[in-house]
Amino acid sequence: KGMLMQCRSYRLLDSGGASRLESFGDLVVRRPCPSALWQPGLPASRWDSADLVLRPEADGAWEGARANQLGEQWYMASEAGFSLGLWPGQNGQVGAFPEQGTNWRWLRSACEASPRRIRVLNLFGYTGGSSLACLASRNADVTHLDGARAAVSRARSNAELSGLSGEPVRWIVDDALTYVRRAARRGERYDGIVLDPPAFGRGAKREWRIDRDLPLLSGLLAEVLSDDPSFVLLSAHDPRWPVAALDGQLREITRGASAVRGRCERGEMLLRARGGGRDLPMGVYSRWAAGTV
C-alpha cells in the first residue's frame, strides 16, 4: 500500500479559469473545476508551482513534481474526528469533498446531542465522510449506501483508517430509490437521514436524474423517517437546485415530524480562499435538527 502520508489541513488557495488550486497539507493540487469561470486571483507562477496537476487533455493524467508519489496513500484528517484517504483519479476527484466540512461537524454534534442511540441512513454516501462523522459520535448505527461499489469499498477503508470499523455500520451497494422503496415496505425507520444527490448518475439498474427523481425520493424518505427524528441533511452541487428548492424537499421529508421541536438552517457550501485567492462556491445545503443543534 505504500507510505501513509497525513494531510492535517485543507485549504483552497485559488479558483478560476475553470480550475481550482488547493493544498492538502503540504501537497498543492491543481485540478479542473468547470464552474469556476472567473479569472484567478493569484499569479500564474503560483498555479504553475503545483505539486500535482491533472491534465484532462492527456486522458486524465496527473503530472508534476510529486506525480511519482501517486502510488502512496495520502489521507486528510477531519475536525469531525475521522480521516479520508486521498486517491487522485482520472476524473479529477481525490476522494473527499472538503466543502462538506461544516456539515460533517454538524452531523457529529447532532448525533452526540441525541439522548438515545440513533439509526442513520446516508444515501449517495461516496467515500464515507458523512457516515464517518456520525460513527465518530459513538452514538449512531449507520446504513451507508452508494450505487458505486468502488466508492463503498473506499468508505469501508476510510472507516478502518479512522479507527471506526468496529462501530455498527452496514455498507450497501444499491440504487437509492430502490433501497428506500424496500425499506418503506419493510417498515424500517431512521432517526437521521443524509443525502447529497448528484445531478446525474448511472447505476447497474437505472439512471438517476435529480430533477425527475429527487421529489420522488423525498416522498419515500418521509415514510422511513422515524416519529421522533434527530436530523435531516440535504445538500446539492447542481446550480439548477438553489437552496429554496432544497428547502421544499426538506419540508417534504420532514412533513411527519411537525410535532417535534427543531430548527431549520440553510446556506452555501463555500470554500474560502486566503491570501488573494478567489472563493469557490460548491453548492447549497438545507438541514433540520431536533432541539437546538
Side-chain angles (χ1 to χ4, degrees):
K1 294 184 178 179
M3 182 187 298
L4 206 58
M5 303 175 65
Q6 185 178 30
C7 305
R8 289 189 175 275
S9 61
Y10 168 85
R11 283 183 58 196
L12 175 70
L13 303 176
D14 196 9
S15 66
S19 296
R20 57 198 288 184
L21 185 69
E22 52 207 331
S23 66
F24 295 86
D26 67 344
L27 180 70
V28 178
V29 176
R30 175 178 178 173
R31 52 180 172 142
C33 183
S35 63
L37 298 178
W38 46 88
Q39 289 298 313
L42 297 180
S45 58
R46 185 68 179 95
W47 285 76
D48 292 340
S49 66
D51 300 307
L52 280 178
V53 180
L54 179 65
R55 303 291 187 190
E57 69 278 7
D59 296 325
W62 288 87
E63 302 174 357
R66 297 176 69 175
N68 62 333
Q69 295 178 329
L70 286 177
E72 301 169 0
Q73 183 183 347
W74 290 279
Y75 69 98
M76 182 180 74
S78 166
E79 293 178 2
F82 62 88
S83 296
L84 294 173
L86 303 177
W87 293 272
Q90 290 183 331
N91 61 356
Q93 299 294 347
V94 295
F97 289 100
E99 65 272 15
Q100 292 281 7
T102 299
N103 283 329
W104 291 337
R105 294 190 294 272
W106 181 88
L107 282 170
R108 177 169 178 171
S109 295
C111 292
E112 291 174 338
S114 173
R116 69 187 193 284
R117 193 172 187 90
I118 61 175
R119 300 184 71 224
V120 176
L121 175 63
N122 181 20
L123 301 175
F124 312 100
Y126 192 47
T127 56
S130 294
S131 294
L132 298 177
C134 295
L135 292 174
S137 73
R138 313 287 178 175
N139 197 35
D141 298 357
V142 175
T143 296
H144 173 101
L145 183 142
D146 197 280
R149 188 171 301 277
V152 175
S153 177
R154 288 186 177 181
R156 295 186 69 153
S157 297
N158 285 332
E160 296 176 5
L161 180 65
S162 304
L164 296 170
S165 57
E167 291 296 304
V169 57
R170 292 192 300 163
W171 306 105
I172 297 177
V173 180
D174 203 350
D175 168 74
L177 273 169
T178 301
Y179 177 83
V180 177
R181 279 198 189 99
R182 286 200 309 267
R185 288 198 299 267
R186 290 193 297 256
E188 292 186 21
R189 295 294 181 267
Y190 294 93
D191 307 299
I193 293 175
V194 185
L195 63 159
D196 180 39
F200 174 82
R202 182 176 287 111
K205 301 177 181 177
R206 66 189 305 276
E207 289 182 346
W208 165 269
R209 295 183 183 275
I210 189 171
D211 291 339
R212 179 192 66 194
D213 296 328
L214 181 56
L216 176 58
L217 180 59
S218 296
L220 291 169
L221 288 173
E223 298 180 31
V224 302
L225 188 66
S226 72
D227 295 332
D228 186 19
S230 294
F231 62 85
V232 176
L233 168 62
L234 173 59
S235 58
H237 295 77
D238 188 341
R240 294 172 298 178
W241 278 80
V243 72
L246 288 192
D247 287 346
Q249 299 305 305
L250 183 68
R251 286 192 296 269
E252 172 65 15
I253 296 170
T254 59
R255 66 175 189 261
S258 57
V260 180
R261 185 176 181 180
R263 185 175 70 178
C264 293
E265 296 177 334
R266 60 193 330 229
E268 185 177 36
M269 294 186 293
L270 180 68
L271 291 174
R272 294 195 179 277
R274 300 177 184 176
R278 296 287 182 86
D279 295 346
L280 180 59
M282 292 297 295
V284 293
Y285 67 85
S286 182
R287 63 195 189 192
W288 174 90
T292 56
V293 173

